Amino acid sequence: MKTPIRFILLTGLVFFLSQCFGVSKTFPEKKFYLIETGDTKQLFSTPKPRTFVVRKVFISQRFEGKEFVYRKDNAVYESDYYNGFFIPPAHNFKDEFVRSLLKSGNFEWDANINTRVAVTHFIELNLTQMYGDFRTKEPKAVIEFEMVVYEDKDSISTPVFRKTYKQIQAIEKKEPEELVLGWNSGLTNTFNELNLDLSQKLK
């Protein structure tokens, strides 16, 4: 049998089988999201003459992937292949965090970008929880992180502030977009609280 004829027959056979046994299947479209927090309250009309470097955002291995994580039972977590972050969540979180520090006026410069300014403070973030709590009929967006701020003098770093922040934000539906909106709302509140803390604690 000539090759073109065999090809046509094989194609026809595959099509026939797919129709008979439901082999062909459409899959959900993969969607990507970004965390985008709301406005940060401006606490100082003139930014404080401080500079900072976010050394690193540590994130629990349970939540470091791009796929969203849902908590379905007390000991059952599931990742969502079809819905996730557009960029790694640690990077997304850091971008929003840095923006809020500058907007609040607690700091004048981000020394990660403006590399010719002397650093006055180093910041470390440890993101320990970031998931959708879907255990009950009342879903929630959960996020928790610890922040440690070091003051740098003569190349010696001393911790001057440490606190854990946690937000459990009620959301309307067990859907990815609702989860992101819940994280956005929770982080907006948390960043405003965090900046108020820093405005009172830092010299």
Side-chain angles (χ1 to χ4, degrees):
M1 188 179 296
K2 294 182 179 180
T3 301
I5 296 176
R6 282 204 298 265
F7 176 75
I8 293 171
L9 289 176
L10 181 60
T11 303
L13 179 62
V14 170
F15 178 77
F16 174 75
L17 290 174
S18 67
Q19 295 301 310
C20 291
F21 301 102
V23 175
S24 74
K25 186 177 180 180
T26 57
F27 293 94
E29 181 183 356
K30 199 166 184 178
K31 295 182 178 178
F32 301 95
Y33 301 83
L34 280 173
I35 291 176
E36 296 177 304
T37 56
D39 290 338
T40 297
K41 294 177 183 175
Q42 186 176 356
L43 301 173
F44 303 100
S45 56
T46 303
K48 293 292 183 181
R50 307 184 189 112
T51 62
F52 69 94
V53 165
V54 177
R55 280 176 169 154
K56 184 175 176 61
V57 180
F58 299 92
I59 184 168
S60 168
Q61 290 186 347
R62 295 176 296 172
F63 311 113
E64 67 179 356
K66 285 187 177 181
E67 297 173 357
F68 287 170
V69 175
Y70 308 136
R71 188 175 187 180
K72 294 294 189 70
D73 207 336
N74 289 338
V76 178
Y77 290 82
E78 291 182 2
S79 62
D80 185 347
Y81 176 78
Y82 295 103
N83 294 283
F85 293 97
F86 187 65
I87 60 176
H91 295 181
N92 195 171
F93 181 82
K94 179 183 174 182
D95 288 347
E96 294 301 302
F97 174 79
V98 166
R99 191 171 64 84
S100 79
L101 292 186
L102 295 172
K103 180 72 176 178
S104 72
N106 270 315
F107 293 89
E108 185 175 10
W109 300 97
D110 173 8
N112 279 302
I113 300 173
N114 308 101
T115 55
R116 293 184 179 274
V117 296
V119 179
T120 62
H121 294 81
F122 291 98
I123 298 175
E124 293 176 351
L125 298 166
N126 183 18
L127 192 56
T128 53
Q129 295 189 49
M130 192 173 194
Y131 62 89
D133 189 345
F134 293 172
R135 287 177 294 177
T136 69
K137 293 181 180 178
E138 299 173 343
K140 303 173 185 67
V142 179
I143 192 162
E144 180 184 76
F145 66 93
E146 180 190 57
M147 178 179 71
V148 183
V149 180
Y150 298 84
E151 189 176 62
D152 189 77
K153 279 188 178 179
D154 301 324
S155 300
I156 298 175
S157 294
T158 306
V160 292
F161 183 74
R162 179 181 184 183
K163 185 173 178 179
T164 297
Y165 297 88
K166 184 171 185 176
Q167 277 284 336
I168 302 175
Q169 190 76 28
I171 58 178
E172 293 185 2
K173 300 176 184 177
K174 297 178 181 179
E175 294 181 358
E177 187 169 353
E178 286 290 329
L179 179 59
V180 174
L181 294 176
W183 282 330
N184 288 347
S185 178
L187 277 177
T188 299
N189 296 334
T190 301
F191 286 165
N192 279 319
E193 177 188 347
L194 174 156
N195 277 299
L196 185 60
D197 288 340
L198 292 181
S199 71
Q200 297 168 349
K201 298 293 182 182
L202 299 185
K203 294 179 183 177

